[in-house]
């Protein structure tokens, strides 16, 4: 991959970590930040490098730009690392300049590949761009300051799929040299979104701990203290609805209980048991959100729960618990999360049958 031109879209902690790591591996790396926020990365512009500390050490050259044209032109791969609410603004900046044969990977995706596909059809008809999603960021990291990112851990694997899914296998082979961790093929970007465990744990956990969060400002362990037996029961119902939705689209999703057992090698017969006794969570001390407007709610409800509800409805699957969580958060925060979220219209799937949605995920338009 030496001197392959790549661009990282989004200059938060994950974007800076990936940009530095790609440069470390020999890529000609450009870090793109939206023009509205470029002042926040002035040290990188001034020094022309990003410093990594922790499990990865060193300073690596990175070109920085706020120009979508400069980020997209000639880039073989573009990796978008951003919160879901920032995906559309970032994509809009590079969309006019994407070239035939380019690949855009959303890390993580949260169903955005479908919205991006719709935008490509509307604004760049005829351009052949592969879209892809992962289910998580490869790094456990934080910014010590702009231009210095601390990497304290790496995920064991990242699941990935292309849109269209028929390109996933060849894409994984092309991307493997870029990552020091395993890339696992998922059936489709539809599966990537539905197998995101944040859908099960985050917003429901905050909802059932709202009083505790507001009275203590998050002074408790979110998973170990907050996911009690009763909370775990509700989350199991959410997971049942998630798995049923996947099944309706021909996707055999691993249950949250199976996922936690496999990922952390934990024993337990309920979600409460495998989460509350997980040392990966309990060792962090008080880590609960300090406010109910945390991204566990404002990101996961519109960008994970709402599209899951939309897909369930299209497939005739009942999801009353997920529906109730979305309804209650809309009431608590006085927001229309169903209107704000990734609806079938935004995803370009409005009016499609289950079969048509599955065909789009497999072969694109």
């Amino acid at each position: 991959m030496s001197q392959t031109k790549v661009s990282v879209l989004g200059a938060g902690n994950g974007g800076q970590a990936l940009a530095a790591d790609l440069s470390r591996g020999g890529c000609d790396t450009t870090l793109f930040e939206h023009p509205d926020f470029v002042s926040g990365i002035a040290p990188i512009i001034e020094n022309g490098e990003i410093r990594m500390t922790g499990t990865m050490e060193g300073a690596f050259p990175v070109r920085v730009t706020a120009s979508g044209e400069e980020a997209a032109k000639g880039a073989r791969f573009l990796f978008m690392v951003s919160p879901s609410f920032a995906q559309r603004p970032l994509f809009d900046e590079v969309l006019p300049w994407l070239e035939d044969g380019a690949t855009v990977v959303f890390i993580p995706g949260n169903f955005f590949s479908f919205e991006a596909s719709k935008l490509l059809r509307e604004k760049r008809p005829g351009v052949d761009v592969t879209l892809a999603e992962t289910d998580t960021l490869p790094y456990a990291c934080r910014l010590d300051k702009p231009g210095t990112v601390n990497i304290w851990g790496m995920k064991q694997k990242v699941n990935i799929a292309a849109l269209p899914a028929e390109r996933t296998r060849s894409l994984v082979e092309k991307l493997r040299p870029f990552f020091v961790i395993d890339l696992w093929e998922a059936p489709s970007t539809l599966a990537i979104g539905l197998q995101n465990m944040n859908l099960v744990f985050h917003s429901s956990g905050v909802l059932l701990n709202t009083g505790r969060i507001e009275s203590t400002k998050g002074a408790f362990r979110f998973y170990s203290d907050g996911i009690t037996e009763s909370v775990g029961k509700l989350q199991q119902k959410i997971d049942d609805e998630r798995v049923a939705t996947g099944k309706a689209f021909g996707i055999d999703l691993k249950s949250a209980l199976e996922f936690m057992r496999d990922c952390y090698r934990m024993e337990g017969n309920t979600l409460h048991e495998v989460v509350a006794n997980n040392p990966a969570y309990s060792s962090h001390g008080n880590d609960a959100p300090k406010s109910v407007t945390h991204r566990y709610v404002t990101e996961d409800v519109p960008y994970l729960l709402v599209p899951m509800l939309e897909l369930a409805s299209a497939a005739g699957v009942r999801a009353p618990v997920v529906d109730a969580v979305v309804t209650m958060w809309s009431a608590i925060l006085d927001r229309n999360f169903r209107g704000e979220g990734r609806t079938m219209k935004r995803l370009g799937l409005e009016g499609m049958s289950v079969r048509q949605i599955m065909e789009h995920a497999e072969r694109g338009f």
Side-chain angles (χ1 to χ4, degrees), residues 99-139:
E99 299 177 350
D100 275 321
T103 296
V104 186
V105 184
F106 306 111
I107 306 176
N110 294 352
F111 301 102
F112 184 67
S113 60
F114 292 99
E115 185 171 351
S117 175
K118 178 176 182 286
L119 292 169
L120 279 167
R121 294 196 310 274
E122 291 173 348
K123 300 184 178 183
R124 296 293 309 282
V127 67
D128 184 10
V129 174
T130 299
L131 304 171
E133 295 191 17
T134 73
D135 60 351
T136 188
L137 179 71
Y139 315 93

Side-chain angles (χ1 to χ4, degrees), residues 60-329:
F60 304 96
V62 173
R63 185 185 303 107
V64 180
T65 184
S67 164
E69 180 179 7
E70 186 176 348
K73 280 195 169 182
R76 180 181 173 194
F77 296 101
L78 299 94
F79 301 95
M80 183 182 292
V81 188
S82 72
S84 295
F85 65 81
Q87 289 173 323
R88 174 68 186 270
L90 287 170
F91 191 71
D92 282 343
E93 292 292 319
V94 298
L95 178 58
W97 315 105
L98 291 173
E99 299 177 350
D100 275 321
T103 296
V104 186
V105 184
F106 306 111
I107 306 176
N110 294 352
F111 301 102
F112 184 67
S113 60
F114 292 99
E115 185 171 351
S117 175
K118 178 176 182 286
L119 292 169
L120 279 167
R121 294 196 310 274
E122 291 173 348
K123 300 184 178 183
R124 296 293 309 282
V127 67
D128 184 10
V129 174
T130 299
L131 304 171
E133 295 191 17
T134 73
D135 60 351
T136 188
L137 179 71
Y139 315 93
C141 60
R142 66 170 176 266
L143 285 178
D144 291 336
K145 58 183 180 180
T148 301
V149 59
N150 178 258
I151 313 289
W152 71 79
M154 296 284 292
K155 307 291 173 61
Q156 293 184 347
K157 68 173 184 177
V158 168
N159 293 298
I160 188 169
L163 179 65
E166 60 189 12
R167 297 184 182 183
T168 298
R169 179 154 298 177
S170 63
L171 177 62
V172 167
E173 294 305 313
K174 294 174 185 175
L175 288 179
R176 278 204 170 109
F178 294 87
F179 295 95
V180 295
I181 59 174
D182 287 338
L183 293 176
W184 287 35
E185 297 176 31
S188 66
T189 56
L190 200 63
I192 286 285
L194 288 172
Q195 68 189 21
N196 191 326
M197 289 297 115
N198 294 345
L199 191 158
V200 176
F201 292 108
H202 280 177
S203 61
S204 60
V206 177
L207 178 65
L208 297 186
N209 282 279
T210 293
R212 191 175 190 177
I213 288 170
E214 292 184 329
S215 61
T216 70
K217 304 303 180 186
F220 64 96
R221 299 173 302 174
F222 181 69
Y223 292 97
S224 299
D225 300 329
I227 310 302
T228 62
E229 184 175 356
S230 295
V231 175
K233 285 182 178 179
L234 181 112
Q235 291 175 335
Q236 183 60 60
K237 297 295 185 183
I238 291 173
D239 194 51
D240 292 342
E241 293 174 3
R242 178 188 68 90
V243 171
T245 301
K247 185 176 181 180
F249 288 90
I251 304 167
D252 185 18
L253 295 170
K254 185 175 290 188
S255 73
L257 185 59
E258 291 172 319
F259 176 88
M260 296 300 291
R261 284 171 172 167
D262 291 349
C263 187
Y264 296 104
R265 295 178 174 83
M266 295 296 297
E267 297 296 327
N269 296 313
T270 67
L271 289 182
H272 160 68
E273 290 175 356
V274 297
V275 172
N277 299 320
N278 188 337
Y281 296 137
S282 60
S283 61
H284 286 285
N286 294 339
D287 60 355
K290 293 178 172 56
S291 164
V292 296
T293 57
H294 192 270
R295 63 181 177 83
Y296 284 1
V297 177
T298 57
E299 181 168 5
D300 292 354
V301 172
Y303 300 113
L304 281 176
L305 270 68
V306 166
M308 195 216 95
L309 270 182
E310 294 269 299
L311 289 166
S313 177
V317 174
R318 293 188 66 253
V321 180
V322 174
D323 183 75
V325 172
V326 174
T327 298
M328 284 188 279
W329 273 124

